[in-house]
Amino acid sequence: MFRPKLLVIAASLAVAGLANAALPASNPFAAESTLPLNYPAFDKIKNEDYGPAYEEGMKQQAAEIAKIANNKAAPTFDNTIVAMERSGRLLDRVSSVFGNLSGANTNDAFEALNRDLAPKLSAHSDAIRLNEKLYARIKTLYDKRDKLKLDPESKRLLERYHTDFVRAGAKLTAADKEKLKAYNSQLAALSTTFSQNVLKEANASALVVDTREELAGMSDKAIDAAAAAAKAKGMDGKFLIAIANTTGQAPLEVLTNRTTRERLLASSLARGSHGGDFDNREVVLKIAKLRAERAALLGYSSHAAYQLEDQTAHDTDAVNKLLGELSKPAVNNARKESADIQAVIDAEKGGFANAAQDWAFYTDKVRQARYAFDQNQLKPYFELDNVLKNGVFYAATKVYGITFKERKDLPVYQPDVRVFDVFDADGKQLAIFLGDFYARSNKRGGAWMNAYVSQSKLLGTKPVVANHLNIPKPAAGEPTLLTYDEARTLFHEFGHALHGMFSDVKYPRFAGTRVPRDFVEFPSQVNEMWMTWPEILNNYAKHYQTGAPMPKELLDKVQASAKFNEGFRTTEYLAASILDQRWHQLPADKIPTDVLGFESSVLKDAGVDFAPVPPRYRTTYFSHVFAGGYSAGYYGYLWSEKLDADTVEWFTENGGMQRKNGDHFRKALLSKGGTMDAMQMYREFRGRDAKIDPLLERRGLKAN
Ligand SMILES: [Zn+2]
């Protein structure tokens, strides 16, 4: 996943109390950080620095924007568009740190500030986008854009600003603008509530187990860690199993006790919808209704229609078609996989029907029977440092010529965070990369990338980017051994990091990952290909104790099983994507009152209501779409994967892992950020449009 930096454009906002207080120089956000590449001075930043920096940042930007809007001189590209791109530096500095740390390392002060800020920032952004004088200047320039002799990136920037303003409501009447502001402010607050509930609910839903026996199947180390986690919560003698973001939970793969599996999955599925303080049902209904009302105000039939217009997919028909076409073959695959699982259960005289809590456990047995290996055989070969340095980094060196050097002199916000200098092929510094790999109770689930500093030639900035994962931290002195999925996530997130680090654009609006949401997962997915590329795998997949390479037979089996369990994977993903679309394709007067009832009817209608495969996220903990930037956009992973699979084919056709291929991909795609139409960019890279066949082939959806 990629986490959009708060895209803040400021406005005139009355800031209570602080209106005259400029930021004291002692506030670390008052000036650009003097650390390399403006790396944030994490050691100097205190909780109480954020609020004043935000208030002053909004105020400064409001003043900058007022100056642009009220300029007596006729509008020019420089005095209007470029001036806006330069505005808001302070706000950008504070929001790039706060925005990320409130996901990666939150605390009560952060949460309180987030609740306070969300509506203010939304009002702030509205006041700019709805500033009539400013819009008039943009419109004047836009109408004569062909005569301005702008270079292609500048012309696109002008068009982009015009579109952004129109989509933000610049053409509305004054009364409707007021309505819009109210919607935006309420929605900002509700999204904050939603994500805070998800984190608190995940912590509150951790499974408490009384005896070691109930955890049979888990390693002794994992059970000890569960005991320590319980003790830390004052439940000495018991065991605590944390809940991860997705519906599926990693321990389900190994737990032999069916009741424990059932309890763990039930706890995961019930999140946000069983009453209590962190129930998200009412929040979801309010968000869905307000989004639909806002879309109607802006002239769209639904929130999805509004969102998709600005994506490469363009409209709901295109998305519904893709999801609809894939659903049946995916569920058919899942049913076949379930039959294989049932055969194992029956052979063991289990005496029960395969259910959702059994899938991961028994699918591993099917894997063992069919390919003669199980997930646990892989883990000793996937030690974190090996995968990172000799896999992820090594691949980037082979493909793009970039190199890495860890440094310990820069401050971090948490002792586990690691920092690397990244050098280009010519030896010059390209970027700084941060890796924050371990799970914590104050870190939201899942994995994501963000930029602390975005690249821009206009501002003279180079990228400082970070990857965040949620790998369970082993006991002190123990190695961090990754599952197959965790290793893949490491490659995936680094693909986003490359997109940020290779950015070579003039304007911040187009830096790195600022591309359509259904395109942004494409470069990250492409980077996953190197995980199992033989030359790379040989280089990193070494036994953590003996250093022995992964045996060739095991490696071959890993490759051969690549399509294994794809029916499950595709179905759970499609179910979540369909939920996202259905919630957001509703007009306001059709928003239901029963969240779970609506959810089941949607899944049934779409033919993806196959009980052993629940959606990857259920509505009430689906942060991507109710709190993150993926509303009506979760389908984008699959949309991007079409490009990804077609690109993997291109690499393979052209000799695979070679610098010339990496350089072409970097130059044509990874360096361009949002400076071009995404599909045009793809065409120039590939020489044609993407075909769907490589995706169908990969997902095992052909001839189904
Ligand atoms: Zn991603």
Side-chain angles (χ1 to χ4, degrees), residues 115-141:
R115 282 190 297 272
D116 179 50
L117 280 173
K120 285 184 187 172
L121 285 167
S122 147
H124 186 66
S125 157
D126 279 346
I128 291 183
R129 301 270 173 106
L130 301 175
N131 180 319
E132 283 172 20
K133 285 186 191 165
L134 189 60
Y135 175 63
R137 293 177 75 87
I138 294 167
K139 175 108 181 14
T140 302
L141 292 167

Side-chain angles (χ1 to χ4, degrees), residues 1-2 492-493 496 521 524 630 637:
M1 175 167 173
F2 140 80
H492 175 99
E493 294 306 327
H496 287 304
E521 295 300 330
S524 52
Y630 283 73
Y637 285 87

